């Protein structure tokens, strides 16, 4: 099983763009250990001769015809912008 | 010291489908007001389901075929996960595990030699939104503005093998690629508008000491000229480091247009971890052999094939054929002219020198004139009414105004005078006014003939047929009236 430690939690924290307190890290470390430990059960199944299934849809599916249809939700989507200026969403600056 | 440059390209091509990759929003969003071509799918609303655009798959297959790729019957989509404000879903839909096409090639002409550049893979993905940073630079911006119109616009990414060995080859490759895209009518290929974006990986090998530099990724090269300039700069920067026994950082650098240098784009270069996994909402794309054959049958004649045909059919030099075939519209124009006029080499000369120069000067890709204009120009030359020099002189005006050559000549009053009677009249007048010069000629100073020719040219504002003037002057001076 993959090693769950503070370093990994911090890495996941960065990838998820979250900021956790030290207590939260501790508790997530414990949760993850339990969840992944449970998932270890799956390793008991022998799948050597089985291809992984990516989708239950086996036949080819019709693709969408290339015709423009304007969404009816444009205004609704825009009304959900937390902060807006001249039609743009305003977001915090990206600091490298 | 001997250095070998190694360059590989990653090129993003915006497809000119009517709709976006996975939703029916408009894909042609360049000039739209911000956040107007959006829907639940492309803004990543929970529960929205993407559906694959058929034209997108077709266009990608066309490009892949034109680049001699192996087009796969089975391809599928994956999620590339990362957080950035221009990506509302938190992931980009791309093809990571099973791309639509692999292992192709494109030939480029480098100094009259053909060089084959291998294509590693070609896959479909969606574009991200557009960010406007308020402030002097990204890092200093207090906030940024997001426009999601471009979210979900279909892209094809083309990854080459590191087969390019100079900045010039890199430019030639992208130029030729754009030509092919335009032939196929699958993308505008407009670099300034971001429809064609090129990133490069460059490293240099010191062949004597057998040392390879780190690889540097160069971005932001948004014109053909900048691709060459930025890579030349980077190539030199790496060579300088190697010469000093040093290496360059393995990093991403951007072309800084105002200072004409590349600058590091990184603060902290954390190892990227995109956690790719199969997109569960999109079934695999199956491109049957039948469908692929049908797409193949719609492929137009491609630049390389056109060059071969022009050389074969019109017996023009390969160089000419290559220049003409660079732009399909020009190639078609050339052919239409030759069909009317004949004279394939003469027509190609006129188009390659006069017309392409005008187009370059006017920074236009539009041809406002028709083969009819060229036909008339050649007829006027054939009839001796204008010289080739005059044809070249008036060409810019014809091209810029779209007026017929005869009309331009008339307006400028510069028809070549081949009217023998009229020329005789002018010569006679000059002889009467200058009996001395006539005397001189008749007493053996025959080079005075130039004086009379000059008089006629002055009188006719240089538009008299020079050969005819010479003949007439000689005949009259020799007294055979
Ligand atoms: Zn949409």
């Amino acid at each position: 099983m993959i090693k769950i430690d503070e370093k990994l939690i911090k890495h996941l924290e960065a990838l998820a763009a979250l900021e956790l307190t030290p207590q939260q890290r501790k508790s997530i470390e414990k949760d993850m250990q339990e969840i992944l430990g449970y998932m270890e059960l799956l390793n008991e199944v022998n799948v050597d001769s089985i291809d992984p299934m990516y989708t239950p849809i086996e036949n080819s599916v019709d693709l969408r015809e290339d015709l423009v249809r304007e969404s009816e939700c444009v205004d609704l989507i825009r009304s959900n912008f937390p902060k807006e200026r001249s039609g743009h969403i305003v977001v915090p600056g990206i600091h490298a | 010291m001997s250095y070998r440059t190694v360059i590989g390209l990653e090129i993003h091509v915006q497809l000119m489908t009517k709709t976006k990759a996975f939703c029916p929003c408009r894909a042609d969003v360049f000039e739209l007001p911000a956040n107007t071509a959006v829907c639940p799918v492309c803004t990543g609303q929970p529960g929205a389901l993407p559906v694959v655009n058929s034209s997108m798959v077709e266009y990608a297959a066309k490009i892949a075929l034109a680049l001699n790729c192996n087009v796969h019957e089975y391809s599928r989509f994956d999620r590339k996960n990362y957080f950035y404000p221009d990506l509302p879903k938190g992931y980009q839909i791309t093809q990571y595990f099973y791309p639509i096409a692999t292992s192709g090639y494109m030939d480029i002409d480098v100094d009259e030699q053909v060089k084959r550049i291998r294509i590693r893979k070609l896959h479909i993905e969606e574009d991200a939104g557009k960010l406007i940073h308020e402030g002097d630079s990204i890092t200093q911006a207090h906030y940024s503005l997001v426009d999601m119109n471009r979210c979900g616009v279909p892209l094809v990414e083309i990854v080459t093998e590191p087969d390019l060995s100079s900045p010039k080859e890199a430019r030639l490759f992208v130029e030729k690629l754009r030509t092919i895209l335009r032939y196929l009518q699958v993308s505008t290929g407009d670099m300034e508008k971001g429809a064609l974006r090129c990133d490069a990986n460059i490293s240099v090998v010191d062949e004597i000491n057998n040392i390879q530099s780190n690889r540097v990724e160069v971005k932001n090269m948004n014109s053909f000229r900048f691709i060459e300039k930025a890579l030349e700069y980077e190539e030199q920067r790496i060579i300088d480091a190697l010469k000093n026994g040093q290496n360059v950082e393995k990093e991403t650098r951007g072309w800084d247009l105002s200072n004409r240098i590349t600058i590091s784009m990184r603060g902290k270069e954390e190892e990227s971890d995109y956690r790719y996994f199969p997109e569960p909402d999109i079934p695999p794309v199956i491109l049957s052999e039948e469908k692929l054959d049908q797409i193949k049958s719609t492929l137009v004649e491609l630049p390389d094939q056109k060059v071969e045909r022009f050389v074969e059919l019109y017996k023009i030099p390969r160089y000419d054929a290559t220049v003409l075939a660079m732009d399909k519209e020009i190639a078609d124009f050339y052919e239409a002219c030759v069909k009317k006029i004949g004279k394939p080499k003469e027509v190609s000369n006129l188009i390659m020198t006069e017309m392409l120069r005008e187009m370059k000067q006017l920074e236009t890709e539009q041809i406002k004139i028709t083969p009819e204009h060229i036909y008339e120009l050649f007829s006027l030359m054939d009839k001796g009414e204008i010289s080739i020099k005059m044809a070249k002189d008036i060409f810019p005006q014809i091209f810029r105004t779209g007026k017929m050559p005869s009309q331009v000549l008339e307006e400028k009053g510069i028809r070549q005078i081949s009217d023998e009677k009229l020329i005789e009249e002018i010569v006679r007048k000059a002889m009467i006014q200058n009996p001395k010069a006539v005397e001189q000629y008749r007493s053996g100073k025959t080079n005075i003939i130039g004086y009379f020719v000059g008089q006629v040219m002055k009188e006719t504002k240089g538009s008299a047929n020079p050969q005819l003037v010479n003949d007439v002057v000689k005949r009259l001076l020799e007294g055979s009236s």
Side-chain angles (χ1 to χ4, degrees):
Chain A
M1 194 174 96
I2 183 170
K3 193 174 165 233
I4 315 273
D5 55 11
E6 199 188 350
K7 192 170 157 245
L8 179 74
I9 302 292
K10 280 188 168 163
H11 177 60
L12 295 175
E13 198 179 322
L15 289 174
L18 292 173
E19 223 170 293
L20 302 178
T21 63
Q23 292 96 309
Q24 285 172 318
R25 272 185 210 122
K26 274 269 162 274
S27 103
I28 284 182
E29 194 179 319
K30 183 173 159 283
D31 287 351
M32 282 193 63
Q33 240 145 16
E34 281 171 17
I35 294 165
L36 288 181
Y38 179 64
M39 290 296 166
E40 280 296 299
L41 272 175
L42 292 172
N43 285 343
E44 290 172 17
V45 187
N46 186 341
V47 291
D48 287 352
S49 57
I50 300 167
D51 285 334
M53 187 177 77
Y54 152 71
T55 170
I57 301 162
E58 283 172 348
N59 299 323
S60 123
V61 185
D62 280 348
L63 306 181
R64 177 174 51 81
E65 207 182 334
D66 189 19
L67 292 172
V68 176
R69 205 183 66 229
E70 267 173 44
S71 170
E72 290 150 17
C73 310
V74 177
D75 290 335
L76 188 60
I77 290 169
R78 291 164 64 111
S79 70
N80 273 300
F81 292 176
K83 198 171 170 196
E84 192 244 273
R85 210 177 75 195
S86 53
H88 291 84
I89 311 167
V90 182
V91 297
I94 295 126
H95 303 281
Chain B
M1 288 265 189
S2 137
Y3 297 99
R4 183 164 55 84
T5 302
V6 181
I7 300 172
L9 300 177
E10 282 172 25
I11 300 161
H12 286 89
V13 177
Q14 221 172 49
L15 301 180
M16 51 187 201
T17 52
K18 292 192 189 72
T19 67
K20 293 186 179 181
F22 306 109
C23 60
C25 289
R26 263 179 75 171
D28 173 22
V29 296
F30 192 75
E31 270 151 4
L32 292 187
N35 294 309
T36 52
V38 292
C39 76
V41 174
C42 56
T43 57
Q45 309 293 332
L49 277 179
V51 186
V52 178
N53 178 344
S54 58
S55 297
M56 168 176 76
V57 174
E58 195 172 310
Y59 288 9
K62 275 190 179 181
I63 301 172
L65 288 169
L67 298 179
N68 310 290
C69 289
N70 188 0
V71 184
H72 303 302
E73 187 175 357
Y74 177 96
S75 69
R76 66 183 204 207
F77 292 94
D78 305 291
R79 292 187 182 179
K80 177 181 181 178
N81 300 281
Y82 63 94
F83 282 116
Y84 206 66
D86 61 4
L87 198 72
K89 293 196 297 293
Y91 59 85
Q92 179 193 29
I93 303 178
T94 180
Q95 294 188 307
Y96 184 70
F97 297 106
Y98 292 89
I100 188 165
T102 49
S103 48
Y105 65 85
M106 184 177 93
D107 290 337
I108 55 172
D109 290 292
V110 188
D111 304 324
E112 314 241 334
Q113 297 261 347
V114 174
K115 182 164 180 186
R116 179 154 295 182
I117 309 302
R118 291 168 300 155
I119 312 276
R120 183 181 301 164
K121 74 169 200 159
L122 182 153
H123 69 259
I124 302 171
E125 62 185 31
E126 59 175 345
D127 209 342
K130 236 183 181 155
L131 286 179
I132 304 169
H133 304 290
E134 300 276 314
D136 292 337
S137 68
I138 293 183
T139 47
Q140 283 163 7
H142 290 298
Y143 53 89
S144 301
L145 302 176
V146 187
D147 175 5
M148 298 187 288
N149 280 345
R150 209 177 61 186
C151 288
V153 168
L155 300 177
V156 156
E157 182 175 338
I158 298 162
V159 183
T160 76
E161 296 290 348
D163 290 349
L164 297 150
S165 31
S166 72
K168 182 181 165 192
E169 286 182 16
R171 172 178 56 80
L172 289 171
F173 182 91
V174 184
E175 281 177 352
K176 173 105 178 247
L177 177 68
R178 183 179 69 159
T179 298
I180 291 174
L181 295 170
R182 290 189 169 178
Y183 267 64
L184 297 172
Q185 292 185 297
V186 295
S187 173
T188 63
D190 191 335
M191 288 197 86
E192 281 76 13
K193 289 185 178 168
L196 185 60
R197 287 169 247 159
C198 175
D199 299 337
N201 285 304
I202 177 169
S203 60
V204 177
V205 180
D206 173 346
E207 291 198 301
I208 290 169
N209 301 308
N210 200 19
I211 298 169
Q212 175 149 19
S213 79
N214 276 331
R215 214 173 62 186
V216 177
E217 187 179 11
V218 186
K219 288 177 178 278
N220 280 355
M221 305 178 288
N222 62 348
S223 83
F224 296 115
R225 214 156 43 87
F226 297 155
I227 291 175
E228 192 165 355
K229 288 270 167 272
L231 291 176
E232 275 171 1
Y233 178 87
E234 199 50 35
E235 180 182 45
Q236 196 53 52
R237 196 181 69 90
I238 300 174
I239 290 174
D240 289 346
L242 290 177
K243 274 184 182 160
N244 293 327
Q246 291 167 334
N247 202 338
V248 289
E249 289 285 325
K250 180 179 184 300
E251 62 173 355
T252 301
R253 296 173 74 84
W255 173 242
D256 176 356
L257 176 58
S258 44
N259 296 309
R260 311 198 136 258
I261 54 171
T262 65
I263 47 174
S264 177
M265 286 175 80
R266 271 291 80 88
K268 43 179 182 184
E269 174 97 40
E270 207 177 316
E271 184 93 3
S272 48
D273 183 352
Y274 294 124
R275 293 149 293 142
Y276 288 98
F277 66 85
E279 165 59 82
D281 289 340
I282 305 177
V285 174
I286 309 293
L287 204 54
S288 67
E289 214 180 306
E290 203 183 354
K291 177 69 185 162
L292 196 60
D293 282 343
Q294 189 231 314
I295 295 171
K296 257 183 213 162
S297 71
T298 65
L299 280 188
V300 293
E301 180 186 49
L302 292 167
D304 287 350
Q305 298 161 329
K306 205 181 276 296
V307 168
E308 292 307 320
R309 188 167 59 81
F310 278 11
V311 169
E312 177 90 358
L313 185 64
Y314 301 125
K315 312 271 181 272
I316 54 172
R318 182 165 296 269
Y319 174 76
D320 289 32
T322 310
V323 172
L324 294 169
M326 271 298 269
D327 183 323
K328 184 165 183 295
E329 216 191 326
I330 289 169
D332 289 346
F333 185 83
Y334 168 75
E335 274 209 286
C337 290
V338 173
K339 286 216 171 92
K340 281 182 95 67
I341 303 164
K343 303 183 194 251
K345 178 60 183 151
E346 285 89 336
V347 173
S348 125
N349 283 348
L350 185 83
I351 290 179
M352 280 173 47
T353 55
E354 306 309 314
M355 194 166 97
L356 292 185
R357 189 199 56 226
E358 279 306 302
M359 292 175 84
K360 201 170 176 186
Q361 261 179 21
L362 297 175
E363 291 177 8
T364 182
E365 283 167 351
Q366 257 190 317
I367 307 174
K368 269 200 285 181
I369 56 171
T370 65
E372 206 59 51
H373 289 80
I374 308 294
Y375 175 70
E376 201 193 71
L377 202 58
F378 273 87
S379 316
L380 288 167
M381 282 192 277
D382 285 346
K383 284 188 248 161
E385 289 183 26
I386 56 169
S387 63
I388 184 149
K389 182 180 174 302
M390 286 160 75
K392 287 183 176 181
D393 284 348
I394 61 166
F395 189 84
Q397 206 163 347
I398 298 169
F399 190 81
R400 284 166 202 225
T401 62
K403 288 177 183 164
M404 290 304 282
S406 51
Q407 195 188 344
V408 172
L409 287 173
E410 202 158 308
E411 282 172 11
K412 290 188 126 183
I414 47 158
R415 174 158 295 242
Q416 174 157 288
I417 296 166
S418 295
D419 181 343
E420 203 166 336
K421 286 257 152 56
L422 182 66
I423 292 172
E424 268 182 27
E425 219 171 276
I426 300 169
V427 177
R428 282 222 170 81
K429 210 169 87 190
M431 285 168 70
I432 292 164
Q433 281 166 352
N434 297 280
K436 244 192 193 153
V438 180
E439 248 351 276
Q440 282 176 315
Y441 180 86
R442 289 181 178 158
S443 62
K445 239 185 125 191
T446 52
N447 59 0
I448 199 90
I449 190 170
Y451 167 77
F452 288 99
V453 172
Q455 287 302 106
V456 178
M457 286 305 182
K458 202 170 136 198
E459 197 73 14
T460 59
K461 298 194 179 78
S463 62
N465 181 335
Q467 190 52 49
L468 190 60
V469 173
N470 243 310
D471 292 349
V472 171
V473 168
K474 219 174 196 175
R475 179 158 52 77
L476 292 185
L477 282 175
E478 273 160 19
S480 52
S481 77

